[in-house]
């Protein structure tokens, strides 16, 4: 087979785009693992919630005419709403489902996470039906809620969730430019720029801010950190907040650039991002970024030489190989006995 | 040593459970034997009678009977995706069956009819579990579904083994009816016909000579993609690529780059609407300007056209239909009032349920104790033998359970909706 440079370059850009999503989501896995040594399997669903909350706010802004007047403001507000919604979801999950289990056996929070993951998926799906049931409640034959409410409430809930695939309005077209012979859409450039800026920002935050220092201290040793006057619970909450906001950002981005969102959309990216986090060394923040891009690139480079159905085989094969030779991942340091 | 002890223990456990299960069965038959002593003597009387009166007594049904004691409910079962990404189709099927039962009058010879829905998630393994559950339930009259070919394929083995009648309103894979099951029917055309029409349309009407093919690796998607590939090459065309994508992902641009490397004039996708919408959007973003074509799985306005952000404009899809629909518009209005517009398989499920109920009414009888009895084999044969006119058209089954008469229509997306372009009729 002749080497086709244009196609190779095209695939590199494809890989970087997918890798950006993996990296953004992987950061949440790795940060939570860093402070709690647990895998938050509901993280993919936080990503999904970000996409749904973002779309819901965007629809409100379209209704209010804000989108018409100033699309850029509306888009930025959509991102902020998605991130805030995802962050709130993440922090709530931590408070309700993980904190009570912090002293429990290691597997308990894991099972709790899987439960939350299923709960969120189905919650979004049945929300309109649930609203219909609740609004239709009667006491002694009389409806509890006034008749006008029912339609209003169900209308809002249907706008938020439901069984059907939801669609973001097509804001970004398929327009683009030629980089040499390679066609690059503007949306890809935006995805890359947003992700990379966010990750640099996060890295600076962890490295240089007080919160970052506290997070690193908690991940080193919770008890000693507490003795040093760090409010461990608050740091854990803040970690969830930041990790979930990143997933929310990825969720809104997915909706804006790929248009479709659905309640099961978190599963595959969740698994892939978890893989990326392990690949880069779980618990290590630059590792998660590196792992995300490595996985994205491995997928696209693999299928240039093998049929496309082997894409995941190549990616996971790479994971196995790396873990054989470096069991802690690319950038992972050896875990201490306590962290295990 | 430890492992060995565990193996031994689990083996023991299995044996105990098996024994318990068998014991349960024997006591069960013992029970029915006790209450149904008359039934037993009836049987022996039967053999005695054949000598005397011959034709007067009914012949024993080779598949046995479904028996309902007075007051028991008859269950019409639905196996489909009730949660997850395809739940919207599953709910559509349940709605269709519910409406069919309501229109039938809600009861059969005084026995109430109810819907029993099982979630197979459009996957093989859960469909088998659901099939085992339905087959074990003595009150299940028949099954509507499963929805996806990938679940029908393994589940139908279970239904066939237990002589449970099943009609799928949606599974189109060729292999489904190619296995000689007498309990299995479908109210849609099989994929060979869709492939024939698609390949013919592309080559003759559109003058396409090179085709890139993608599929979603499901039994349905890969099956129809393969059929298209065969027919298109048999017609003298060239297939430039045959690649699979993974369901549930969102960025398919890597696979698309591979497919477009062969510079095909048209791209065919064997799969479902959600992935179809992502693909057409990303194909256009990758600079592809040719024809995009898909099977019935993508023919959905909300989840393909609307979810593609306008990129679906000018795409094509085939859909199998049957001529001679009776009162379809009036039916659609009634359905919409209750459940909202039918999504895809609501009408087919309605017809499937009605076919089973009408056939059951013809073969059902009350025995001496007032029990309702439905002979299983006679039920299947009645379904096969009776022409039916329903909301999806005039349905008549062949020996294999396929439709005798069917037409395939090619649709084009124009101004955000599917417009009929061409219809090909099959059968007499």
């Amino acid at each position: 087979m002749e080497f086709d440079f244009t196609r190779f370059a095209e695939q590199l850009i494809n890989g970087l785009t997918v890798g950006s999503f993996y990296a953004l989501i992987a950061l949440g896995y790795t940060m939570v693992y860093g402070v709690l040594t647990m895998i938050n399997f509901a993280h993919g669903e936080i990503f999904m919630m970000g996409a749904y909350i973002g779309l819901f706010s965007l629809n409100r802004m379209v209704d209010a005419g804000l989108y018409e007047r100033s699309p850029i403001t509306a888009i930025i507000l959509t991102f902020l709403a998605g991130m805030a919604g995802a962050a709130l979801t993440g922090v709530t999950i931590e408070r309700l489902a993980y904190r009570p289990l912090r002293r429990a056996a290691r597997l308990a929070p894991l099972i709790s996470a899987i439960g939350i993951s299923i709960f969120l998926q189905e919650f979004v799906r049945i929300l309109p039906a649930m609203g219909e049931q609740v609004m239709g409640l009667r006491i002694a034959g009389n409806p509890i809620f006034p008749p006008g409410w029912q339609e209003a409430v169900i209308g809002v809930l249907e706008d938020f969730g439901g069984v059907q695939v939801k669609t973001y309005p097509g804001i970004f077209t398929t327009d683009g430019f030629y980089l040499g012979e390679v066609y690059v859409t503007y949306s890809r450039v935006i995805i890359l720029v947003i992700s990379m800026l966010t990750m640099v920002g996060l890295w600076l935050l962890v490295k240089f801010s007080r919160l970052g220092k506290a997070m690193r201290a908690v991940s080193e040793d919770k008890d000693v950190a507490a003795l040093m006057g760090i409010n461990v619970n608050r740091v854990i909450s803040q970690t969830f907040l930041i990790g979930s906001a990143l997933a929310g950002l990825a969720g809104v981005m997915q909706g804006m650039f790929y248009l479709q969102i659905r309640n099961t959309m978190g599963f595959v990216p969740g698994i892939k991002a978890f893989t990326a986090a392990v690949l880069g060394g779980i618990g290590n923040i630059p590792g998660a970024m590196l792992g995300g891009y490595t996985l994205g690139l491995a997928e696209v480079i693999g299928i240039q030489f093998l049929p496309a159905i082997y894409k995941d085989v190549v990616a996971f094969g790479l994971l196995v190989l790396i873990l054989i030779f470096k069991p802690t991942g690319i950038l992972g340091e050896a875990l201490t006995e306590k962290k295990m | 040593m430890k492992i060995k002890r565990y193996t031994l223990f689990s083996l023991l456990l299995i044996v105990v459970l098996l024994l318990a299960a068998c014991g349960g069965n024997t006591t069960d038959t013992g029970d029915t034997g006790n209450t149904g002593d008359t039934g037993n003597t009836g049987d022996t009387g039967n053999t005695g009678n054949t000598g005397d009166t011959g034709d007067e007594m009914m012949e024993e049904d080779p598949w046995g009977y479904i028996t309902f004691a007075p007051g028991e409910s008859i269950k019409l079962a639905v196996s489909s995706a009730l949660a997850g990404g395809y739940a919207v189709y599953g709910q559509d099927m349940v709605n269709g069956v519910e409406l069919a039962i309501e229109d039938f009058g809600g009861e059969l010879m005084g026995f109430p009819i109810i819907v029993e829905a099982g979630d197979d998630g459009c996957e093989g393994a859960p469909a088998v579990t659901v099939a085992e559950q339905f087959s074990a339930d003595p009150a299940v009259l028949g099954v509507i579904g499963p929805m996806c070919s990938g679940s029908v394929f393994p589940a139908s083995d279970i239904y066939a083994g237990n002589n449970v009648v099943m009609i799928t309103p949606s599974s189109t894979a060729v292999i489904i009816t190619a296995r000689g099951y007498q309990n299995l029917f479908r109210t849609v055309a099989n994929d060979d016909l869709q492939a024939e029409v698609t390949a013919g349309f592309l080559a003759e009407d559109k003058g396409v000579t090179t085709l890139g093919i993608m599929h979603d690796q499901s039994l349905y998607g890969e099956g129809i993609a393969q059929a298209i590939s065969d027919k298109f090459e048999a017609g003298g065309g060239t297939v430039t690529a045959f690649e699979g994508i993974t369901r549930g992902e969102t960025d398919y641009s890597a696979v698309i780059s591979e497919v477009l490397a062969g510079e095909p004039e048209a791209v065919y996708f064997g799969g479902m609407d959600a992935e179809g919408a992502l693909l057409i959007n990303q194909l256009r973003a990758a600079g592809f300007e040719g024809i995009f074509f898909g099977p019935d799985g993508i023919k959905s306005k909300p989840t393909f056209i609307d979810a593609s952000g306008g990129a679906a404009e000018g795409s094509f899809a085939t859909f199998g239909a049957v001529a001679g629909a009776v009162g379809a518009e009036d039916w659609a209005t009634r359905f919409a009032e209750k459940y909202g517009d039918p999504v895809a398989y609501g009408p087919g499920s309605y017809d499937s349920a009605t076919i089973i109920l009408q056939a059951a009414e013809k073969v059902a009888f009350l025995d001496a104790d007032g029990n309702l009895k439905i002979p299983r084999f006679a039920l299947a044969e009645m379904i096969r033998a009776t022409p039916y006119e329903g909301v999806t058209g005039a349905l008549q089954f062949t020996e294999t359970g396929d439709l005798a008469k069917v037409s395939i229509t090619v649709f084009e997306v124009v101004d955000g909706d599917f417009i009929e372009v061409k219809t090909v009729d099959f059968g007499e």
Side-chain angles (χ1 to χ4, degrees):
Chain A
M1 193 167 59
E2 191 185 336
F3 185 74
D4 181 345
F5 183 74
T6 312
R7 188 145 59 92
F8 185 73
E10 210 173 275
Q11 291 289 33
L12 277 188
I13 296 170
N14 292 339
L16 285 176
T17 318
V18 183
S20 297
F21 282 95
Y22 293 165
L24 277 179
I25 307 171
L27 281 168
Y29 277 108
T30 238
M31 287 167 72
V32 166
Y33 187 88
V35 295
L36 283 183
T37 57
M38 79 164 266
I39 308 295
N40 178 15
F41 272 116
H43 196 60
E45 275 57 48
I46 294 176
F47 159 79
M48 179 268 296
M49 288 299 282
Y52 271 85
I53 294 167
L55 175 62
F56 186 75
S57 352
L58 182 58
N59 282 343
R60 297 291 72 73
M61 285 184 263
V62 170
D63 290 348
L66 177 68
Y67 177 67
E68 294 247 314
R69 269 180 278 130
S70 165
I72 303 221
T73 322
I75 290 170
I76 292 174
L77 285 177
T78 306
F79 273 108
L80 291 179
M83 290 169 74
L88 186 71
T89 315
V91 171
T92 314
I93 292 174
E94 191 272 326
R95 186 69 194 78
L96 296 181
Y98 303 153
R99 194 178 295 179
L101 296 174
R102 198 161 307 151
R103 301 271 167 211
R106 267 183 68 96
L107 280 180
L110 196 72
I111 304 294
S112 184
I114 293 170
I116 290 288
S117 155
I118 297 171
F119 168 80
L120 285 177
Q121 257 185 42
E122 296 301 302
F123 173 75
V124 168
R125 181 176 71 85
I126 63 169
L127 199 58
M130 218 159 69
E132 202 167 334
Q133 296 261 320
V134 171
M135 298 314 284
L137 283 181
R138 282 158 184 276
I139 290 179
N142 300 314
I144 302 176
F145 301 99
W149 287 26
Q150 180 159 2
E151 270 175 36
V153 168
I154 293 170
V156 170
L157 294 183
E158 266 176 356
D159 200 46
F160 182 85
V163 191
Q164 296 262 15
V165 171
K166 296 255 167 211
T167 316
Y168 269 67
I171 298 170
F172 297 95
T173 53
T174 52
D175 292 347
F177 58 92
Y178 278 92
L179 196 75
E181 273 179 63
V182 185
Y183 184 73
V184 187
T185 52
Y186 295 120
S187 50
R188 283 186 185 281
V189 179
I190 301 173
I191 292 178
L192 282 174
V193 170
I194 293 181
S195 323
M196 290 188 173
L197 284 181
T198 314
M199 284 186 257
V200 171
L202 177 80
W203 184 75
L204 292 174
L205 180 94
V206 173
K207 196 85 184 162
F208 297 111
S209 73
R210 272 178 72 85
L211 170 62
K213 210 182 233 175
M215 272 168 63
R216 280 179 290 140
V218 169
S219 74
E220 196 83 12
D221 191 319
K222 273 204 272 298
D223 299 327
V224 176
L227 288 175
M228 298 294 152
I230 293 170
N231 183 341
V232 174
N233 277 338
R234 203 173 69 202
V235 171
I236 290 175
S237 282
Q238 282 161 339
T239 307
F240 267 87
L241 185 111
I242 296 170
S244 304
L246 293 177
L249 173 76
V252 175
M253 225 157 60
Q254 168 135 342
M256 289 237 183
F257 298 108
Y258 298 104
L259 304 176
Q260 274 182 42
I261 60 170
R262 47 182 150 174
N263 65 327
T264 52
M265 69 187 272
F267 180 72
V268 173
I271 296 286
K272 290 282 175 73
F274 171 60
T275 311
V278 174
L279 194 63
I282 192 141
N284 183 302
I285 288 175
M289 305 179 195
L290 185 67
Y293 285 109
T294 311
L295 189 64
L297 289 174
E299 284 183 1
V300 297
I301 291 171
I303 72 168
Q304 296 189 52
F305 307 106
L306 290 168
I309 49 170
Y310 290 108
K311 191 180 73 165
D312 291 346
V313 176
V314 173
F316 287 95
L318 178 78
L319 175 75
V320 171
L321 266 183
I322 288 182
L323 290 186
I324 288 175
F325 293 107
K326 198 153 184 324
T328 50
I330 303 175
L331 295 184
E333 64 252 71
L335 297 174
T336 59
E337 190 64 26
K338 188 171 282 160
K339 269 184 144 177
M340 296 293 279
Chain B
M1 250 357 246
K2 208 168 194 180
I3 295 171
K4 240 180 195 167
R5 205 179 301 157
Y6 269 114
T7 335
L8 204 70
F9 177 71
S10 33
L11 270 176
L12 245 164
L13 198 72
I14 291 171
V15 170
V16 169
L17 282 173
L18 274 176
L19 279 176
C22 290
N25 268 345
T26 37
T27 39
D28 265 11
T29 40
D31 274 358
T32 42
N34 278 340
T35 49
D37 257 347
T38 38
N40 274 341
T41 42
D43 270 1
T44 42
N46 198 352
T47 43
N49 272 343
T50 23
D52 295 13
T53 44
D55 292 344
E56 222 178 271
M57 287 303 290
M58 204 184 290
E59 228 175 275
E60 195 70 21
D61 191 273
W63 289 3
Y65 296 87
I66 317 168
T67 309
F68 301 92
E72 276 183 351
S73 296
I74 301 170
K75 287 181 186 166
L76 259 189
V78 182
S79 168
S80 189
L82 300 176
Y86 304 112
V88 57
Y89 296 104
Q91 191 54 49
D92 198 33
M93 288 173 62
V94 174
N95 294 344
V97 174
E98 257 179 31
L99 191 61
I101 292 175
E102 195 182 306
D103 287 357
F104 191 73
E107 47 97 23
L108 180 69
M109 298 167 89
F111 291 72
I113 308 163
I114 56 170
V115 183
E116 172 108 340
D119 181 16
D120 64 35
C122 188
E123 299 284 347
V128 168
T129 313
V130 170
E132 278 164 353
Q133 188 190 325
F134 285 160
S135 302
D137 187 340
V140 167
L141 172 66
V143 178
I144 287 87
M147 175 176 98
C148 301
S149 295
S151 34
V152 175
F153 184 62
S156 52
D157 288 341
I158 311 289
Y159 292 122
N162 291 286
N163 300 324
V164 177
V165 162
M166 58 174 282
I167 306 184
T168 168
S170 51
S171 163
T172 53
V174 177
I175 192 167
I176 296 301
T177 48
R179 293 166 301 159
Y181 287 152
Q182 287 180 291
N183 66 315
L184 182 151
F185 306 89
R186 62 172 151 202
T187 63
V188 281
N190 84 38
D191 285 341
D192 258 353
L193 304 182
Q194 281 199 71
E196 200 176 314
V197 173
T198 305
F201 181 81
L202 282 172
E204 287 153 30
D205 298 30
K206 292 288 167 188
V208 172
T209 53
T210 50
L211 179 66
I213 298 181
M214 305 174 83
H215 61 83
D216 66 359
Q217 302 186 47
S218 69
L219 185 78
Y220 163 71
E222 190 168 357
I224 192 157
Q226 190 58 54
I228 296 278
S229 173
D230 295 346
K231 301 263 182 208
F232 191 73
E233 284 190 326
T238 313
V239 173
T240 58
F242 191 87
E243 299 278 13
I245 59 161
T246 310
R247 283 206 274 188
E249 288 188 356
T250 32
D251 193 320
Y252 295 124
S253 40
V255 187
I256 285 171
S257 293
E258 293 300 306
V259 171
L260 293 187
E263 293 176 4
E265 294 165 63
V267 169
Y268 187 87
F269 171 58
M272 303 285 286
D273 46 17
E275 286 77 20
L278 289 167
L279 277 181
I280 180 61
N281 192 290
Q282 289 166 29
L283 274 163
R284 297 293 182 229
F288 174 69
E289 284 165 3
I291 293 170
F292 181 75
F293 208 125
D296 58 336
I298 69 161
K299 198 199 156 273
S300 148
K301 182 172 152 47
T303 43
F304 176 64
I305 301 181
D306 298 349
S308 72
E313 195 68 20
S315 306
F316 293 90
T318 44
F319 202 80
V322 189
V326 178
E329 266 179 38
D330 167 55
W331 180 87
T333 320
R334 279 197 300 128
F335 187 95
E337 270 170 20
K338 268 191 94 116
Y339 312 105
D341 284 328
V343 182
Y345 307 123
S349 304
Y350 176 89
D351 280 348
S352 305
T354 312
I355 289 171
I356 295 180
L357 290 174
Q358 287 184 355
E361 192 174 32
K362 289 193 185 113
V363 297
F365 61 91
L366 293 171
D367 71 4
D369 300 330
N371 297 322
L372 180 71
K373 293 195 111 179
I374 296 165
R376 290 179 184 274
F377 185 71
L379 177 66
E381 286 310 296
M382 188 58 77
I383 290 173
R384 196 184 312 281
T386 320
Y388 167 84
E389 294 196 347
V391 294
T392 56
L395 308 177
Q396 169 78 64
F397 296 110
T398 63
E399 270 307 304
T400 57
D402 267 321
L403 287 176
K405 267 199 294 190
V406 69
S407 60
I408 304 282
T409 305
V410 178
F411 291 87
E412 183 177 1
V413 180
V414 180
D415 295 331
D417 213 341
F418 288 103
I419 307 295
E420 278 188 50
V421 183
K422 182 186 181 185
T423 300
V424 181
D425 297 318
F426 294 90
E428 293 297 299

